[in-house]
Amino acid sequence: QEDQAKADQEDQAKADQEDQAKAQHDHNDDDVVKIFHVRSKKARGFRRCGFRFNKEGFGIAEDMLTEEQQEILINEPNLVVRVDEMTRKELDELTDEAYEKGLLHGID
């Protein structure tokens, strides 16, 4: 039952992230965005907050995460988290590149 509750919470987090991603297109290209670069310390990867992190890791825009998710990721001992900043335009370019490489799915 606890596993189901955890899975439901992760599914809700993923749905919230998709909604936030759709809203991000309303921003100015020069807006500065915090990016959470997150990778797993475990070779087999690690799931948290609706994401599956591998050893290589990837970046997540701050507005794709709730404040609670940000705290969870930063404080998770199985993850390495680095926070950087970039402009919205730079982020959009990286996102487009990730789609072209097939690294992102399901967020329009």
Side-chain angles (χ1 to χ4, degrees):
Q1 211 173 28
E2 185 177 311
D3 290 340
Q4 182 60 44
K6 190 174 182 179
D8 291 344
Q9 184 180 15
E10 289 180 353
D11 288 345
Q12 182 60 48
K14 187 173 182 178
D16 292 344
Q17 292 159 5
E18 289 175 358
D19 290 343
Q20 290 170 350
K22 290 175 185 175
Q24 83 179 14
H25 296 290
D26 298 332
H27 300 284
N28 184 321
D29 283 349
D30 294 327
D31 288 347
V32 175
V33 180
K34 283 187 182 177
I35 305 297
F36 288 72
H37 296 276
V38 187
R39 68 177 180 82
S40 174
K41 290 182 179 179
K42 295 183 173 191
R44 296 180 68 193
F46 188 78
R47 290 185 58 87
R48 185 60 75 228
C49 296
F51 294 95
R52 178 165 181 79
F53 300 101
N54 59 22
K55 292 286 281 182
E56 184 179 300
F58 56 90
I60 307 168
E62 175 183 39
D63 57 2
M64 296 279 295
L65 299 167
T66 65
E67 288 184 24
E68 180 182 10
Q69 288 174 314
Q70 293 172 29
E71 289 299 317
I72 290 169
L73 294 176
I74 288 169
N75 293 309
E76 173 55 59
N78 292 301
L79 298 173
V80 176
V81 179
R82 184 183 82 237
V83 181
D84 291 321
E85 293 183 346
M86 65 176 55
T87 65
R88 176 66 57 189
K89 182 177 181 178
E90 291 170 324
L91 175 61
D92 288 344
E93 289 170 357
L94 287 175
T95 301
D96 290 345
E97 182 179 325
Y99 271 113
E100 290 172 10
K101 291 181 177 179
L103 301 174
L104 294 176
H105 305 284
I107 301 175
D108 294 326

